[in-house]
Amino acid sequence: ANHVEFQQRLLSRQGSVPKDHATHVTGTLIASGINAPAKGMAPAAEAFTYHFGNDEAVMTALAKSDESSLLFS
């Protein structure tokens, strides 16, 4: 999403169209704090977006066997 709080740190991996709820949740996580009350929990982090179809198989394929490479909820 092209949002001032994300500063090019929200990267679409599957051409996803921005959704209000997903943008709000991502802002809670990574908003940079240009608007101070909106600062996220990890304001310097990057986030990646994926289409929700077939998500379990996609996330499994992205994860490494030591489980240290991917955090999602």
Side-chain angles (χ1 to χ4, degrees):
N2 187 12
H3 191 288
V4 66
E5 291 288 350
F6 300 148
Q7 301 174 336
Q8 307 303 316
R9 295 175 295 115
L10 181 58
L11 309 166
S12 176
R13 294 295 193 209
Q14 294 180 322
S16 300
V17 175
K19 302 288 184 187
D20 290 343
H21 179 71
T23 301
H24 176 87
V25 171
T26 305
T28 299
L29 297 172
I30 72 164
S32 62
I34 291 171
N35 176 7
K39 188 172 185 178
M41 295 181 287
E46 290 182 335
F48 302 97
T49 64
Y50 294 87
H51 186 269
F52 65 87
N54 199 28
D55 58 342
E56 189 173 335
V58 172
M59 294 296 113
T60 299
L62 291 169
K64 293 181 181 168
S65 59
D66 65 2
E67 298 180 14
S68 68
S69 61
L70 187 66
L71 174 65
F72 68 97
S73 61

